[in-house]
Amino acid sequence: MKKIKVAIIGAGSAGLSARREVAKVTEDYLVFDGGILGTTCARVGCMPSKVLIQAGEDVYKTTKFHDFGVYGQEHIKVNLPEVLTHVRKLRDRFVRAVEGGMKSWVDTHLIREHVELTGLYSLKTHSGEEYEFEKVIITTGTSPYAPEVLKGFESYLYSSDTIFEQVDLPEKIAVLGLGVIGIELGQALHRLGVNILGINRRRSISGILNPEINEYACKYFEKEMNLNFSGLSSVKEVDERLELTLGDGSKHTVDKILLSNGRKLNLDKINLSPLLHIKDKRGLPPINLETFQIEEHHHMFIAGDLTGDKQLLHEASDEGKIAGHNAVRSKPDRFKTRTPIGITFSDPNIAFCGQYYKQLIEEKVDFQVGQVTFEGQGRSIIKLKEVGLLHIYADTKTGKILGAEMMGPDNEHLAHLLAWCIQMNLTVNEVLEMPFYHPVVEEGMRTALRDLRHKLDPEPNVLELRMIND
Ligand SMILES: Cc1cc2nc3c(=O)[nH]c(=O)nc-3n(C[C@H](O)[C@H](O)[C@H](O)COP(=O)(O)OP(=O)(O)OC[C@H]3O[C@@H](n4cnc5c(N)ncnc54)[C@H](O)[C@@H]3O)c2cc1C
């Protein structure tokens, strides 16, 4: 059995950032991955999806041209095979960048095989090679999966792993699940001319937890696309197509189904669960979210999407970094996570940062909500994107900003600004003292902040300027 100091299982975003930290201290490590290299983010996730979304958004813009007095948009034609080729071309570029960053160590430190744990300090590759390690960092990520009702219909299914590989797409596709991935890909494909039927089990878009913004989003997206919120009940094959019966009894015939119903943890194949005494229903052990050690076995680390928490690229990279840093230290360091932020790159964007409305209510926090609608907001009018709502939450006593949920034009940027304010512990008045250019979407955010100030402070600093005290 070969002996190594650190084993890293998975060469995705978390595994790669873990490796970087480990390699700063020791050369005695190996990374194991038998899958296609290049990371989920660059190969089948964040990046190709955003290329497709950009194409859809730009095509959609042309439908507004006549409002500016510009004509000819009726001659615009989407060539879907060429759009998909473009997606793959940029995707390959992103993947090449990831692979380029791996060049210096793949020949010496990468084993191109999937592995499973054989004990608390040992693993085995699929070809049977065994290794003993002192520390292990497990970063095997997640995969799309088909629900029970679709068993036997596999040849009709696409997922984010396969859709970008298609040469062309059929006329009608059902998008199963309207979370972040479903609404992003569903809207992009709809705008590129695919007949989309979006299906969700409940009246919810992109997992928005603020009831008012969620309802606003449902109404907006169901106006643009064909959506159904009663779930998928049964499926039947009819003339090489699928007949879907939905929860409300309606029947729809589609060519394919795009799975966006959530992702399953890649736990089953690594054989971790049998080694644990304490684990949840999914087979996941409690993980220390400051060190990323498994609580029960401190020489074992879990990072990235496999933690089952905050499955986002920047979180996966941070977690990998922390796990790698600690795996080569005798005493682990504890790290603070960044202010939570999440963005759905739909048009308009949907986003949140800090704490959710639902969380604040459940935790009985004394807070106020400042609101603005982007309908009638100056810059949004100019952009012909007069749609959306922003709610900002602040602590009633201290005035500190706690969180925000939003849907609106360019809200990906507002979510960042507010997340940075939250992480800096800023109060509503302190943010209002910042510069706001004119005319910008950020002025909409200022309106919501002013609404908050009004609710928080009966005698506000109405000048919104810092006074000079000699
Ligand atoms: C369609 C889509 C869009 C997304 N968009 C965004 C976005 O806009 N912004 C954002 O922040 N996040 C986005 N994400 C999420 C983001 O891609 C993930 O959070 C991130 O890629 C997770 O990285 P990871 O290292 O945990 O997992 P991965 O990158 O999936 O890496 C896991 C690795 O483990 C390997 N592996 C699995 N089993 C084994 C085994 N037994 N042995 C060895 N190796 C194994 C796999 O081959 C894989 O290489 C998106 C995801 C998807 C699917």
Side-chain angles (χ1 to χ4, degrees):
M1 194 182 297
K2 292 182 183 163
K3 289 190 178 179
I4 46 173
K5 214 171 225 155
V6 185
I8 300 167
I9 307 179
S13 302
L16 293 181
S17 52
R19 187 213 70 87
R20 216 170 295 126
E21 296 310 311
V22 169
K24 285 179 187 169
V25 175
T26 178
E27 281 293 306
D28 192 6
Y29 71 88
L30 284 174
V31 179
F32 299 87
D33 196 324
I36 309 171
L37 298 180
T39 74
T40 290
C41 173
R43 213 168 45 74
V44 292
C46 328
M47 303 311 265
S49 63
K50 301 316 162 284
V51 182
L52 191 80
I53 288 166
Q54 193 62 49
E57 207 172 313
D58 289 347
V59 167
Y60 181 75
K61 253 187 220 154
T62 68
T63 66
K64 305 266 183 180
F65 277 5
H66 60 267
D67 291 355
F68 295 108
V70 176
Y71 296 93
Q73 63 273 27
E74 59 280 5
H75 301 300
I76 286 173
K77 189 176 165 289
V78 175
N79 182 322
L80 209 44
E82 286 186 28
V83 173
L84 291 163
T85 303
H86 169 72
V87 170
R88 288 191 290 275
K89 190 173 137 203
L90 295 200
R91 184 272 319 267
D92 290 347
R93 198 170 153 190
F94 298 123
V95 168
R96 271 199 307 276
V98 174
E99 287 174 341
M102 298 171 68
K103 270 201 184 115
S104 62
W105 58 272
V106 279
D107 293 341
T108 46
H109 291 87
L110 178 68
I111 307 289
R112 294 293 307 271
E113 282 196 70
H114 269 24
V115 297
E116 62 176 47
L117 295 163
T118 48
L120 286 174
Y121 290 92
S122 56
L123 60 79
K124 188 170 79 184
T125 67
H126 276 187
S127 65
E129 191 88 55
E130 293 191 78
Y131 293 84
E132 200 178 289
F133 52 78
E134 291 173 24
K135 306 276 177 75
V136 64
I137 305 172
I138 307 166
T139 66
T140 51
T142 61
S143 303
Y145 75 96
E148 227 19 65
V149 65
L150 291 174
K151 285 273 146 64
F153 298 100
E154 285 74 12
S155 63
Y156 287 96
L157 305 183
Y158 294 140
S159 70
S160 49
D161 280 0
T162 58
I163 190 130
F164 307 117
E165 289 307 319
Q166 303 307 310
V167 174
D168 198 359
L169 292 173
E171 198 184 315
K172 185 155 184 177
I173 299 178
V175 174
L176 189 64
L178 296 174
V180 177
I181 295 174
I183 205 71
E184 284 188 351
L185 295 182
Q187 187 188 37
L189 292 172
H190 163 76
R191 289 180 166 190
L192 291 165
V194 180
N195 187 350
I196 292 292
L197 167 67
I199 305 170
N200 214 32
R201 262 191 312 209
R202 56 195 179 87
R203 194 167 168 80
S204 158
I205 292 282
S206 197
I208 304 173
L209 291 176
N210 176 306
E212 199 180 321
I213 300 176
N214 180 53
E215 185 50 31
Y216 187 98
C218 289
K219 284 196 177 122
Y220 176 81
F221 285 97
E222 68 188 347
K223 235 192 279 165
E224 182 181 338
M225 297 151 65
N226 186 13
L227 303 184
N228 183 295
F229 296 106
S230 67
L232 175 62
S233 295
S234 62
V235 183
K236 189 163 86 176
E237 199 171 7
V238 180
D239 297 335
E240 297 184 358
R241 296 182 87 202
L242 289 182
E243 186 185 273
L244 313 182
T245 305
L246 305 189
D248 59 6
S250 60
K251 291 190 190 306
H252 307 259
T253 305
V254 300
D255 298 296
K256 295 275 182 184
I257 297 178
L258 170 61
L259 297 174
S260 50
N261 51 308
R263 294 171 66 85
K264 72 171 175 49
L265 304 178
N266 290 334
L267 255 183
D268 42 349
K269 295 193 189 99
I270 50 168
N271 210 27
L272 170 67
S273 305
L275 302 174
L276 305 166
H277 291 110
I278 314 159
K279 54 198 162 195
D280 65 16
K281 276 197 294 232
R282 300 168 295 178
L284 254 192
I287 300 163
N288 183 323
L289 297 178
E290 294 174 340
T291 64
F292 289 90
Q293 291 166 297
I294 294 181
E295 295 281 16
E296 192 184 345
H297 302 295
H298 281 179
H299 70 293
M300 300 179 118
F301 297 79
I302 293 186
D305 282 8
L306 188 68
T307 60
D309 188 38
K310 295 192 257 177
Q311 296 173 328
L312 297 168
L313 187 272
H314 70 282
E315 298 284 357
S317 299
D318 280 353
E319 294 166 9
K321 220 189 292 182
I322 296 170
H325 173 95
N326 282 332
V328 286
R329 275 164 181 75
S330 46
K331 187 174 169 296
D333 290 319
R334 292 159 57 229
F335 292 87
K336 250 194 185 149
T337 51
R338 299 172 209 258
T339 295
I341 180 169
I343 297 165
T344 305
F345 290 89
S346 51
D347 176 29
N349 299 151
I350 293 167
F352 84 95
C353 58
Q355 288 172 275
Y356 293 105
Y357 176 82
K358 190 167 177 261
Q359 244 175 314
L360 295 167
I361 295 284
E362 281 171 3
E363 288 166 17
K364 297 191 170 49
V365 175
D366 185 6
F367 71 105
Q368 301 295 326
V369 185
Q371 308 188 9
V372 70
T373 164
F374 292 95
E375 296 171 23
Q377 197 272 327
R379 184 67 169 160
S380 310
I381 297 174
I382 294 165
K383 286 173 171 268
L384 300 182
K385 287 191 170 184
E386 248 192 280
V387 62
L389 284 182
L390 164 64
H391 286 196
I392 307 178
Y393 316 126
D395 186 282
T396 307
K397 283 192 199 76
T398 63
K400 285 193 196 306
I401 301 183
L402 300 173
E405 287 171 86
M406 64 201 82
M407 165 182 159
D410 299 331
N411 275 202
E412 57 177 284
H413 304 300
L414 300 194
H416 274 90
L417 293 178
L418 286 165
W420 296 349
C421 292
I422 294 167
Q423 191 158 321
M424 303 272 301
N425 257 320
L426 297 185
T427 64
V428 172
N429 280 331
E430 283 167 336
V431 182
L432 281 167
E433 286 169 2
M434 304 279 187
F436 288 83
Y437 202 74
H438 175 73
V440 290
V441 172
E442 284 75 1
E443 289 175 302
M445 180 175 103
R446 184 174 59 186
T447 306
L449 288 165
R450 284 176 175 163
D451 183 38
L452 245 182
R453 180 188 60 191
H454 178 72
K455 289 169 180 163
L456 289 168
D457 191 349
E459 285 181 64
N461 169 12
V462 284
L463 292 189
E464 293 170 0
L465 293 167
R466 207 163 277 186
M467 203 179 285
I468 301 168
N469 294 312
D470 293 327

